[in-house]
Amino acid sequence: MNQARKIKNIIEPQFVMEGAGVRLRRSISPHPSNRFDPFLLFDHFAFNDPLEGPIAGFPMHPHRGIETVTYILEGSVNHRDSLGNSGMIGPGDVQWMTAGGGIMHEEMPRRGPSGQIYGFQLWVNLPAALKMSQPRYQGVSAEQIPSVDQDGVKVRVVAGEVFGVKGPVTEIAANPVYIDVTLAPGAEFVQEVPHGHTAVAYVFEGSGYFRSGETGSGESQAVSAVKMVQFEDGDHIRAQAKSDSSFRFMLMAGAPFMEPIVPYGPFVMNTVEEIQQALLDLRNGTFVKQ
Ligand code: FE
């Protein structure tokens, strides 16, 4: 069987306020129903439009039980944390942070020379056995992210494998695919995604199709930026740009953990007691384990 995955659901991102008043487009938010398992949250920040307000950023805050993945396309994010790490996530860079048992960090967006900031943050769940693990960073600079470029298909491979090229982010519990795909008008791209893994695509430029069926001949409505697409189960994703438009999307897939989750702000644990413990640890100053 070799089925192209059918679109299950198209989600319209909603504006939300986060941090110290940052306006974001959110298309996945942590919820006990866990319907994007292993993904918990997907935010798109773009301060290119004055309507989206001043840049406030995300002052010191905790995380526990999750991984946060920051991908910057324009501008930068300055970060520092309770482990003593600090640095800048610049254009084309990715920071894959495994918060594990606890980290405190600050994330402050800065405009690039063009005056713009553009990027994404994904939250990936951790299984119960790893929720209290040691925090870990995989900081990947733009040059370290391999790019595949052929027949009108350009893919930056952060995690997973495309045309035999492996992404630099490895040893992630969800065994994820995290790639940035740009298709020239009419170009087609097929990505294998293991059966049973959750798959979503965040369409942020242009317009195209995700075709289904055994030959990929299945009907598909055109999807235009900006939308989050959730796929049904199958063996691969088949995308094609419209003949008169390019098509760009983040393709994300991962193995679901199928565990109950209790999200609470920056924490996602398995039980209410574990959330209470996180709050207690914060109050007692024992949140960060060194
Ligand atoms: Fe954070």
Side-chain angles (χ1 to χ4, degrees):
M1 209 180 68
N2 196 12
Q3 288 286 343
R5 288 172 176 240
K6 204 171 151 189
I7 293 174
K8 179 183 188 178
N9 200 7
I10 297 178
I11 297 152
E12 188 78 43
Q14 301 293 313
F15 277 106
V16 296
M17 294 290 266
E18 268 298 346
V22 183
R23 200 156 179 242
L24 304 161
R25 290 185 186 85
R26 178 164 294 168
S27 42
I28 296 178
S29 48
H31 189 273
S33 65
N34 206 8
R35 65 195 178 103
F36 299 95
D37 185 10
F39 303 123
L40 298 162
L41 171 145
F42 190 84
D43 280 346
H44 172 186
F45 43 98
F47 306 101
N48 306 338
D49 180 342
L51 286 175
E52 289 178 44
I55 300 164
F58 307 89
M60 236 2 136
H61 59 275
H63 286 293
R64 177 178 282 179
I66 61 169
E67 311 196 70
T68 67
V69 183
T70 307
Y71 181 33
I72 303 297
L73 292 172
E74 291 183 53
S76 61
V77 170
N78 288 325
H79 76 95
R80 64 190 178 97
D81 71 22
S82 52
L83 297 173
N85 298 303
S86 66
M88 192 190 80
I89 311 167
D93 299 347
V94 170
Q95 181 196 68
W96 199 295
M97 183 190 83
T98 306
I103 198 159
M104 303 278 292
H105 76 164
E106 179 184 87
E107 300 156 283
M108 304 307 263
R110 295 283 177 266
R111 291 184 192 278
S114 63
Q116 304 196 330
I117 298 176
Y118 200 95
F120 307 111
Q121 188 167 81
L122 168 72
W123 289 9
V124 186
N125 200 12
L126 285 168
L130 292 175
K131 281 199 180 288
M132 294 303 288
S133 60
Q134 280 295 322
R136 181 172 74 135
Y137 278 93
Q138 295 189 65
V140 188
S141 66
E143 309 79 66
Q144 292 171 305
I145 299 174
S147 193
V148 173
D149 200 341
Q150 58 182 65
D151 304 325
V153 177
K154 195 173 166 210
V155 186
R156 301 191 76 226
V157 190
V158 177
E161 187 174 336
V162 178
F163 302 149
V165 174
K166 287 195 170 101
V169 172
T170 56
E171 293 170 56
I172 300 297
N175 192 18
V177 168
Y178 185 84
I179 58 179
D180 173 1
V181 181
T182 307
L183 304 181
E188 208 179 355
F189 171 67
V190 175
Q191 175 67 30
E192 301 292 324
V193 172
H195 213 84
H197 284 204
T198 299
V200 295
Y202 190 73
V203 175
F204 63 101
E205 282 175 26
S207 190
Y209 306 95
F210 293 103
R211 300 191 197 279
S212 60
E214 227 161 302
T215 57
S217 57
E219 284 297 304
S220 159
Q221 63 188 110
V223 181
S224 298
V226 179
K227 298 277 187 302
M228 176 66 86
V229 177
Q230 184 180 20
F231 297 97
E232 288 183 0
D233 205 358
D235 305 290
H236 59 264
I237 307 282
R238 182 179 289 266
Q240 186 177 21
K242 269 181 139 177
S243 58
D244 60 353
S245 170
S246 61
F247 193 33
R248 189 172 184 188
F249 54 90
M250 300 301 300
L251 180 60
M252 299 165 275
F257 297 120
M258 294 185 259
E259 294 176 351
I261 61 164
V262 181
Y264 186 87
F267 317 126
V268 181
M269 304 302 288
N270 299 108
T271 66
V272 173
E273 290 70 28
E274 288 165 344
I275 294 293
Q276 287 165 343
Q277 186 62 50
L279 293 168
L280 196 66
D281 287 347
L282 261 188
R283 216 172 308 138
N284 294 341
T286 54
F287 183 79
V288 175
K289 318 262 186 294
Q290 303 270 15

